[in-house]
Amino acid sequence: DIHLTQFPSTLSASVGDRVTITCRASQNITTWLAWYQQKPGKAPKFLIYKASSLESGVPSRFSGSGSGTEFTLTITGLQPDDFATYYCQQYNSYLFTFGQGTKLDFK
Amino acid sequence: QITLKESGPTVVKPTQTLTLTCTLSGFSVSTTGVGVGWIRQTPGKAPEWLSLIYWNDDKRYRPSLRGRLTITKDNSKNQVVLTMTNMDPVDTATYFCAHSPWYSSGAFNIWGPGTTVTVSS
């Protein structure tokens, strides 16, 4: 199994801040990584695919980077709607796995 | 506009079989490159991928659940069905179906709202 570790687990920030979430894979997944945003009681929302490609309709303040085993999601200029939990997901091998999540809350 | 909607029982007893249906709208499950997957999640935990079926009927399963899961599609009804046998209280979760696009097969760009299943006697 490919294990994904996200850090930090919790991140406190303010509106307007720039924040970065890291996702580390236990083995090389090239760029087969996606990022999701989830709010309580809702389904995950797709943000980024292939590590750095922005899904259509997602604000440009979201960006992704990385390859191999180290990936980041950056939000530049936090908006009130961005406070949520973020998950990475690898789809390099047919046991798709998710990171444990990063909760972004108000400082 | 692509939408998905899960349906099925809200409560099942231990050892029973769970059958969940995902009804698709705005796309066909037989469109080249398309996949539909099932993912579940318990409160406060990360999502857990269960299964995926492709337009060409290729099927993938979570290895640890392979013997319990069956995924099928009905092109005429535009539905995807997941069955899980021998249900246990640890299978209590919200179950989501989701669309996997041709441009990033294995990731899930559109999700249904989810259906909560409780396993209890």
Side-chain angles (χ1 to χ4, degrees):
Chain A
D1 300 6
I2 297 175
H3 188 68
L4 298 179
T5 303
Q6 287 182 234
F7 50 93
S9 295
T10 304
L11 180 56
S12 296
S14 302
V15 172
D17 284 354
R18 178 178 184 270
V19 298
T20 297
I21 299 168
T22 300
C23 178
R24 184 169 290 158
S26 59
Q27 57 186 270
N28 185 358
I29 58 170
T30 60
T31 56
W32 298 113
L33 188 98
W35 289 97
Y36 301 84
Q37 175 195 72
Q38 189 176 31
K39 296 182 179 179
K42 300 292 187 182
K45 177 186 175 182
F46 190 54
L47 301 174
I48 301 279
Y49 62 96
K50 287 183 185 173
S52 60
S53 296
L54 191 69
E55 172 71 347
S56 175
V58 174
S60 59
R61 62 180 181 272
F62 292 90
S63 62
S65 66
S67 66
T69 61
E70 191 97 354
F71 303 85
T72 59
L73 172 71
T74 299
I75 311 172
T76 303
L78 270 176
Q79 297 299 302
D81 191 51
D82 300 337
F83 291 91
T85 299
Y86 292 84
Y87 293 99
C88 56
Q89 179 225 333
Q90 67 80 19
Y91 47 110
N92 177 75
S93 65
Y94 279 112
L95 172 48
F96 305 143
T97 50
F98 291 80
Q100 84 281 11
T102 295
K103 185 177 181 181
L104 176 58
D105 61 19
F106 289 100
K107 185 182 292 184
Chain B
Q1 180 190 1
I2 291 175
T3 62
L4 303 93
K5 182 79 182 295
E6 307 88 351
S7 59
T10 55
V11 180
V12 296
K13 290 181 167 48
T15 75
Q16 286 187 336
T17 294
L18 171 68
T19 300
L20 294 174
T21 300
C22 180
T23 300
L24 318 174
S25 179
F27 75 103
S28 170
V29 70
S30 57
T31 299
T32 299
V34 161
V36 174
W38 286 92
I39 303 101
R40 69 182 178 183
Q41 188 176 30
T42 54
K45 300 293 187 183
E48 179 182 64
W49 170 74
L50 301 176
S51 185
L52 175 62
I53 189 167
Y54 289 102
W55 84 99
N56 60 358
D57 213 36
D58 184 17
K59 301 169 185 178
R60 304 289 173 167
Y61 297 101
R62 187 175 191 84
S64 61
L65 297 173
R66 179 177 294 275
R68 297 177 54 205
L69 295 175
T70 303
I71 192 169
T72 59
K73 62 183 179 73
D74 186 326
N75 292 343
S76 64
K77 294 182 179 179
N78 214 27
Q79 292 178 331
V80 172
V81 175
L82 182 75
T83 60
M84 181 181 292
T85 61
N86 195 24
M87 292 292 285
D88 184 271
V90 301
D91 297 313
T92 294
T94 296
Y95 287 75
F96 298 97
C97 61
H99 173 271
S100 184
W102 63 268
Y103 56 85
S104 201
S105 180
F108 301 100
N109 68 331
I110 300 170
W111 295 55
T115 185
T116 299
V117 178
T118 300
V119 184
S120 174
S121 54

